[in-house]
Amino acid sequence: MKLASTSSIRFGILLLASTVLAGPAVLAQVSQSPQSPGPQSPLPAEVEDETLEVSVPGGGGSGEIVVIGRRIPNSIRVSREVVSVLTQADIARTGEGDIAGALQRVTGLSVVGGRFVYVRGLGERYSLALLNGLPIPSPDPLRRVVPLDIFPTSILASSVVQKSYSVNFPGEFGGGVINLTTRAIPAESFLTIGSSVGGNTVTTNELGLVYGGGRFDGFGYDDGTRRIPNGLQDAQASGRLLVPGADFSFRQVQDITASLSNAPTTLIQRNFSVQPNASFDLAAGHTWDVDDLRFGVVANLGWKNNWQTKSGLQQNSSTFIPASAQATATLGINQDYDFLATENRAVLNGLLGLGLEFGEHRIRINNVYVHDTIKEARIQDGINDAAFTDVRVNRSNTAWFERQLIQTQAVGEFRFDNISLDLRGTYANSKRLSPYEREISYAFTTDLGINDFINDLRSPGQSARVAFSRLNENVYGAGADLGYKVEGGPFPMKFTVGYAYSDNQRSSVRRDYRYQSANALPISVAQQRPDFLLSDFNVYTYGIILNETSATAGAARYDAGLTVHAGYGMVELEPTDGVQINTGVRFENGDQFVAPIDLFGGTPPTISTIKRNYWLPAATITWNFAEDMQLRFSASKTIARPQFRELAPQVYLDTETDRESRGNQFLIDSQLINAEARYEWYFGRDERFTISGFWKKIDRPIETVVSLQSGFIQTTFANAPEAELYGVEADVQKYLPLDAISEGAFFDGRRFLIGANYTFTNSKIKVRDGDTTIFPFTGQIVPASNFFRDGQPLTGQSDHIANLQLGFSDQDSLSEQTILLNYASNRATSRGPDGQPDLIEKPGMRLDVVIRQGLRLAGVDLELKLEGRNLTNVRYQEFQSLNGSRVDNNTFQLGRSFTAGLAATF
């Protein structure tokens, strides 16, 4: 670390990545500036301790930028853009095991379903996630957005959330970009082994539902129980519907039906003592120094097995409400189910990172593996008058969703005097397998004095279905960034140009079948439990066969792709003392398609194609008007493309909502204009106050809408005409030294943390006379008012998001006690059907407590962690309300969660 030798108080910040912070590492480094005469000022010691490792597009930028200031106590300040930063220490303080949980403490961010991060209340499609500056395909390929709970915090060096756009990032930048940087070269060798056990008050040791499955389900892997039989595989590959006739004899279909795995995938049983949650984590790193070379290895292996039981209501209303009746109408309940569901989620993840440093050059290679499986059993009991009038139905579902991500990355960051060069590339593959999605429905009858549930596979409310789906996606990405620093000019200046390429290719197949009987089933058979009903004996005795319904459930298969070629030019300069400008433009050529494929020789469905060129300018001005204060102003243009699953007319079960969803092949992309202003004050080490205002205009935003299909809710998507969003966010963090307040051993070296942030966001959809949209499924142009009302907020957007963090910490040893309070106001999950009000989610206020304590036992450093989550016992609520009436679309208890963990570092 070099100390300032000039008379002015100016510091040069070495940027080894783009305009965000710099990668692979942001190191606070003082340099001499010829424009800054003045008295010497020593660099505060705390700056030397602040090292943040970040890797993003843009390479080494082009060297140094001069920043005015008495000190640089926080890495946020060195950014050319509006960012929020989570260091390893910040992440550890939250006690979260995954990055999604840790990010919900960041100003303006909210986490939906514990997995998907929304920036400033905007929906998931407006949030971009990168890993070491490279695209990440989702391990749940039904979404292009990445569920960030798959990344354990132990593998990450930092997380940077950039909320103002700069052209070195992809143009799909709506609310912000979340860049995760993995650990590469550790400061020192380490080996950490950790484990935890925990429970939930509504799940652990309480009533839940399970089904047999296979021996390795607890690890998320199938042992062959769910393998598709050869006969069914051959039938699927034949290009013919599996129905008795010219292509398949009745006996062939019977044999295929009998070959399916039955009881292990069908029979749901009660479990009166659901087991606790458990996790294991192993992390290791080592560094070798050989002459001028420094080589590092970081490895991580993690496993967790969590259980969640949901018990509550699932209702909907089929009431049509014309606009003229909005003031007096009420909602009638047509579907009214009590439900109980238990999910067992098993995640296995691994990381192997290699890093090499020589001189000013750095190379990192990362290999990531994530295997994420959800095993679900669900029973619903109630009525659905819209589908089966006055019939009480008991419906059971079993499902297995196995998702996998494999990604390899290589990043080289090189610096030659005034020239910097970044080269990067990635390949990733993600898969989703869902064999044996079963749904079996029994109806209550009083005929013949039975007074029981029966299933004859024919009558209303009596059926058995099974589906098999698989999805495969390959992602290729590459980029190069070249930076040049101009010396000897009138003021500091640097230029960066870059090229980026990405190619996503996806194939998705879903095959649906319904069990039917050639002969009427005797009452004694119709009363049998599901695995007996579908037994081989009944298949051959009563002629029960599979009848393929794939052709009626949207596209049985679709292929999709998105290829992007992009180039950008960016200049950073300081035309006068304390004023810095970062401006540039990005050109993107995007070619996106979703091609539904008719597997059975029918008319090919409509192919969705979005092929466009975009010019995306951006500019940010930073004014350091005082030694520890600055203002930022930014403006940009960005885009938001529809996701593959939003375009594909294929039905699938969304596990987050327990509802079927189907894409709209007539969607188009959205374009955004963004503006922001932010004031920043860094008044001490790790202490800050910031406040900003932001505004966005979105042309043709994509919104989630609901339709009623045979009395059941099905979600789809449509383009609203226009939306406008504005808001304010504020963030403050302050440490109080306790030893200055009171004496005693407990207070020595301890600090009290007060951290709070608040975001207000207001969004409005604009619908004018004459505005139109395209009706999903048919392609018909209809008035936009059929789906949207003028003044509605965007789906997924909360008006208020607030976080409060209070905690004690010891500066000399590991001892932290933190209280975390998180609040998000109501937000719409989708537009209501048939003139009904929107479906509203109520996140509420959650209170968490995290205690971390370092111990030393037998020469080994230990970390004990105790967590209490959702201590306010907030339940999940999704509902509709109108004039005093309420429909609970999906409401259930979440319970309080408690976890104890112990980690040893050698």
Side-chain angles (χ1 to χ4, degrees), residues 380-574:
Q380 297 168 296
D381 188 284
I383 60 170
N384 188 340
D385 284 343
F388 325 111
T389 305
D390 295 326
V391 175
R392 182 184 169 192
V393 172
N394 184 282
R395 190 169 62 203
S396 63
N397 295 77
T398 59
W400 173 268
F401 304 103
E402 186 175 355
R403 299 162 292 194
Q404 178 178 285
L405 167 66
I406 299 175
Q407 182 165 24
T408 295
Q409 299 180 332
V411 177
E413 296 160 320
F414 308 99
R415 182 172 179 178
F416 309 91
D417 295 326
N418 296 336
I419 297 175
S420 62
L421 174 67
D422 269 14
L423 300 174
R424 59 189 183 278
T426 185
Y427 165 74
N429 173 263
S430 59
K431 289 183 171 67
R432 181 185 190 268
L433 298 177
S434 182
Y436 290 97
E437 282 185 62
R438 288 192 180 272
E439 177 184 300
I440 300 177
S441 181
Y442 286 72
F444 191 84
T445 183
T446 58
D447 293 347
L448 304 176
I450 294 174
N451 295 321
D452 200 357
F453 288 96
I454 64 171
N455 186 357
D456 62 10
L457 303 178
R458 295 180 172 189
S459 302
Q462 303 178 49
S463 63
R465 294 180 172 87
V466 64
F468 301 85
S469 63
R470 63 183 184 274
L471 188 152
N472 187 78
E473 181 170 350
N474 289 307
V475 178
Y476 301 87
D481 305 89
L482 181 65
Y484 177 69
K485 180 182 65 174
V486 177
E487 289 187 340
F491 45 76
M493 182 183 302
K494 62 180 184 179
F495 299 91
T496 308
V497 296
Y499 166 78
Y501 164 80
S502 65
D503 182 43
N504 294 40
Q505 298 295 327
R506 173 184 292 188
S507 177
S508 176
V509 180
R510 179 183 172 92
R511 309 297 285 265
D512 293 90
Y513 305 88
R514 176 170 179 169
Y515 287 86
Q516 293 185 329
S517 61
N519 306 308
L521 298 181
I523 290 296
S524 60
V525 174
Q527 284 185 284
Q528 292 178 351
R529 72 188 200 188
D531 56 328
F532 289 173
L533 175 65
L534 304 179
S535 65
D536 293 356
F537 177 84
N538 286 344
V539 166
Y540 288 109
T541 302
Y542 301 105
I544 298 175
I545 59 170
L546 291 176
N547 182 32
E548 185 163 9
T549 60
S550 301
T552 63
R557 174 182 168 182
Y558 73 86
D559 292 339
L562 171 61
T563 302
V564 177
H565 295 272
Y568 74 88
M570 182 171 65
V571 59
E572 297 177 68
L573 53 94
E574 186 178 9

Side-chain angles (χ1 to χ4, degrees), residues 595-716:
I597 298 172
D598 192 307
L599 298 177
F600 314 110
T603 303
T606 302
I607 297 177
S608 304
T609 302
I610 303 175
K611 188 172 184 178
R612 297 190 62 175
N613 296 329
Y614 308 90
W615 289 96
L616 305 173
T620 298
I621 299 175
T622 302
W623 177 29
N624 297 116
F625 63 91
E627 293 180 344
D628 49 8
M629 299 181 190
Q630 57 190 21
L631 288 171
R632 301 184 196 267
F633 305 92
S634 65
S636 63
K637 181 179 179 181
T638 57
I639 59 174
R641 297 183 177 93
Q643 302 169 23
F644 290 148
R645 60 117 180 186
E646 295 173 340
L647 285 167
Q650 186 180 80
V651 174
Y652 65 91
L653 178 68
D654 188 335
T655 59
E656 304 300 321
T657 62
D658 277 337
R659 287 197 289 266
E660 284 189 344
S661 185
R662 181 177 176 179
N664 174 8
Q665 63 265 49
F666 304 103
L667 294 175
I668 62 174
D669 56 333
S670 308
Q671 299 192 40
L672 298 87
I673 298 175
N674 316 283
E676 178 151 5
R678 171 158 141 158
Y679 164 76
E680 302 171 4
W681 177 26
Y682 300 97
F683 50 85
R685 180 185 180 186
D686 298 327
E687 296 179 333
R688 64 181 180 269
F689 170 74
T690 67
I691 186 168
S692 62
F694 53 90
W695 173 84
K696 296 178 185 292
K697 180 181 178 182
I698 309 175
D699 181 51
R700 292 290 175 178
I702 299 170
E703 290 284 281
T704 304
V705 299
V706 164
S707 63
L708 291 172
Q709 304 293 324
S710 301
F712 294 93
I713 285 182
Q714 186 179 89
T715 60
T716 185

Side-chain angles (χ1 to χ4, degrees), residues 60-277:
S62 57
E64 301 172 352
I65 306 176
V66 177
V67 180
I68 193 171
R70 177 176 53 85
R71 60 166 67 98
I72 304 174
N74 194 302
S75 300
I76 300 173
R77 184 172 186 180
V78 304
S79 166
R80 302 280 68 75
E81 304 295 336
V82 176
V83 301
S84 297
V85 178
L86 281 180
T87 65
Q88 283 182 301
D90 296 328
I91 295 170
R93 187 180 301 116
T94 68
E96 301 284 354
D98 58 72
I99 194 61
L103 283 171
Q104 71 180 338
R105 318 297 176 186
V106 173
T107 311
L109 268 61
S110 57
V111 178
V112 177
R115 312 183 66 205
F116 304 104
V117 176
Y118 288 9
V119 179
R120 287 172 171 167
L122 289 166
E124 62 186 47
R125 72 177 52 81
Y126 299 109
S127 300
L128 171 68
L130 302 175
L131 184 66
N132 298 316
L134 289 161
I136 320 169
S138 175
D140 185 353
L142 293 177
R143 288 178 165 85
R144 193 166 74 236
V145 66
V146 179
L148 294 180
D149 63 334
I150 67 173
F151 292 102
T153 55
S154 58
I155 73 172
L156 297 177
S158 69
S159 174
V160 174
V161 182
Q162 180 170 322
K163 302 172 187 176
S164 62
Y165 180 62
S166 56
V167 298
N168 54 309
F169 281 115
E172 284 197 78
F173 189 108
V177 60
I178 300 167
N179 185 75
L180 309 177
T181 299
T182 55
R183 302 166 73 176
I185 299 179
E188 58 184 21
S189 300
F190 69 93
L191 171 63
T192 301
I193 301 174
S195 182
S196 70
V197 63
N200 178 276
T201 55
V202 300
T203 301
T204 309
N205 209 35
E206 298 290 336
L207 173 65
L209 300 176
V210 295
Y211 70 93
R215 294 170 295 169
F216 306 137
D217 286 3
F219 295 96
Y221 294 87
D222 181 54
D223 64 354
T225 298
R226 299 175 180 85
R227 182 182 179 275
I228 302 177
N230 292 335
L232 183 58
Q233 291 188 49
D234 294 341
Q236 291 178 347
S238 69
R240 299 290 183 267
L241 278 173
L242 183 63
V243 293
D247 299 312
F248 301 96
S249 68
F250 188 89
R251 181 57 186 241
Q252 282 179 303
V253 179
Q254 237 180 349
D255 290 342
I256 291 173
T257 304
S259 69
L260 296 188
S261 174
N262 185 13
T265 63
T266 304
L267 181 63
I268 296 178
Q269 296 177 301
R270 291 180 293 177
N271 181 346
F272 290 96
S273 55
V274 175
Q275 69 188 55
N277 301 328

Side-chain angles (χ1 to χ4, degrees), residues 335-353:
Q335 173 186 301
D336 189 3
Y337 286 113
D338 294 311
F339 82 97
L340 180 68
T342 299
E343 286 185 1
N344 180 206
R345 185 179 179 204
V347 181
L348 181 69
N349 56 67
L351 166 79
L352 177 62

